[in-house]
C-alpha cells in the first residue's frame, strides 16, 4: 500500500490510470462521472484512504468539480477520509450483534490494541471502528477486516486475540 499525507500531491501509478480507463469505458460518452465510485475504491485500495489531493486528482481525471467527489466520498461510510491502519477492524454494532456481546468485543479490541475507535495504533498497523449491520446477523457477533473485507463470525475475546495475533504475524 502506498503512503500519502493529507497535503501531499499524488501521482497515480500508471497501472491505476489504466484501470481508470477501463472502468470509464463502461459508461456512455459524457457520463464518465458514473465511474466515480469504482475509481474511489481503487484509490482507497492503493493508499488506504482518500486524501483531499487524491480526490482532487480523481475529479481532474473525470473532469468534474472536486466538491462532487467530496460529496460522494463523505456520504459512503466505506470511504476513509483520514489515514487508517494497515488492517481496519470493523465491528458490527447493530442490535443483534450487540445482544450477543459486540460492545464487549469492541472494548476488548480497544484495550488489546491500545487504540481508541477511529485512531491508528502507534505502529501504523491497526485501526478499528464500529459499523452498522454487516448482514451476517446469524453468526453474530461479527467483524470484517479491510482492506479485503474478510469476515470473522461468532466472535469471542479468545478468537479476537487469535485474529490479532495472526494479523501481526502477517506483518
Ligand atoms: S446485526 Fe451484526 S451482522 Fe447484522
Amino acid at each position: 500500500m502506498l503512503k500519502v499525507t493529507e497535503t501531499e500531491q499524488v501521482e497515480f501509478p500508471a497501472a491505476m490510470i489504466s484501470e481508470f480507463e477501463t472502468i470509464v469505458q463502461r459508461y456512455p460518452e459524457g457520463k464518465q462521472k458514473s465511474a466515480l465510485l469504482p475509481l474511489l475504491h481503487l484509490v482507497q485500495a492503493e493508499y488506504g484512504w482518500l486524501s483531499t489531493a487524491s480526490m482532487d486528482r480523481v475529479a481532474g481525471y473525470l473532469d468534474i468539480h472536486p466538491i462532487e467527489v467530496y460529496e460522494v466520498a463523505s456520504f459512503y461510510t466505506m470511504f476513509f477520509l483520514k489515514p487508517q491502519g494497515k488492517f481496519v477492524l470493523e465491528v458490527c454494532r447493530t442490535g443483534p450483534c450487540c445482544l450477543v456481546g459486540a460492545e464487549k468485543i469492541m472494548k476488548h479490541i480497544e484495550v488489546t490494541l491500545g487504540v481508541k475507535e477511529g485512531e491508528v495504533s502507534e505502529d501504523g498497523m491497526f485501526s478499528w471502528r464500529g459499523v452498522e449491520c454487516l448482514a451476517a446477523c446469524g453468526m453474530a457477533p461479527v467483524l470484517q477486516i479491510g482492506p479485503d473485507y474478510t469476515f470473522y463470525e461468532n466472535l469471542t475475546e479468545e478468537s479476537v486475540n487469535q485474529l490479532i495475533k495472526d494479523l501481526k504475524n502477517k506483518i
Side-chain angles (χ1 to χ4, degrees):
M1 193 181 292
L2 298 174
K3 283 210 176 235
V4 65
T5 64
E6 176 56 47
T7 50
E8 197 176 334
Q9 290 306 309
V10 287
E11 281 301 332
F12 293 148
M16 189 194 288
I17 295 292
S18 169
E19 286 186 77
F20 279 13
E21 286 165 6
T22 304
I23 292 167
V24 167
Q25 282 168 11
R26 293 178 195 154
Y27 302 96
E29 187 77 31
K31 302 289 183 193
Q32 77 283 358
K33 185 181 170 185
S34 302
L36 180 53
L37 278 175
L39 265 53
L40 290 179
H41 279 296
L42 282 179
V43 174
Q44 181 159 289
E46 189 73 34
Y47 300 100
W49 68 295
L50 301 175
S51 67
T52 303
S54 63
M55 289 191 281
D56 290 349
R57 279 266 173 216
V58 171
Y61 182 83
L62 292 176
D63 195 21
I64 59 178
H65 297 292
I67 187 67
E68 296 176 88
V69 182
Y70 307 158
E71 285 169 347
V72 169
S74 61
F75 178 80
Y76 291 106
T77 57
M78 77 276 278
F79 293 123
F80 297 117
L81 301 180
K82 61 181 201 173
Q84 301 295 309
K86 177 175 179 181
F87 301 109
V88 183
L89 281 60
E90 296 185 316
V91 185
C92 174
R93 63 174 175 204
T94 304
C97 279
C98 281
L99 283 173
V100 288
E103 290 158 308
K104 199 169 127 194
I105 293 294
M106 287 193 283
K107 188 69 196 167
H108 184 68
I109 289 172
E110 179 179 312
V111 171
T112 305
L113 295 178
V115 60
K116 293 206 174 299
E117 182 173 9
E119 296 178 355
V120 182
S121 60
E122 265 180 30
D123 59 6
M125 287 299 135
F126 294 100
S127 48
W128 71 274
R129 66 177 181 171
V131 294
E132 301 313 317
C133 182
L134 293 173
C137 320
M139 277 71 74
V142 174
L143 68 75
Q144 66 180 6
I145 299 185
D148 60 355
Y149 296 109
T150 310
F151 265 56
Y152 296 86
E153 301 161 340
N154 301 307
L155 297 172
T156 62
E157 290 183 348
E158 293 70 32
S159 68
V160 168
N161 290 343
Q162 185 61 49
L163 168 59
I164 291 172
K165 194 172 157 199
D166 292 345
L167 290 173
K168 285 183 174 170
N169 286 337
K170 278 191 191 175
I171 296 167

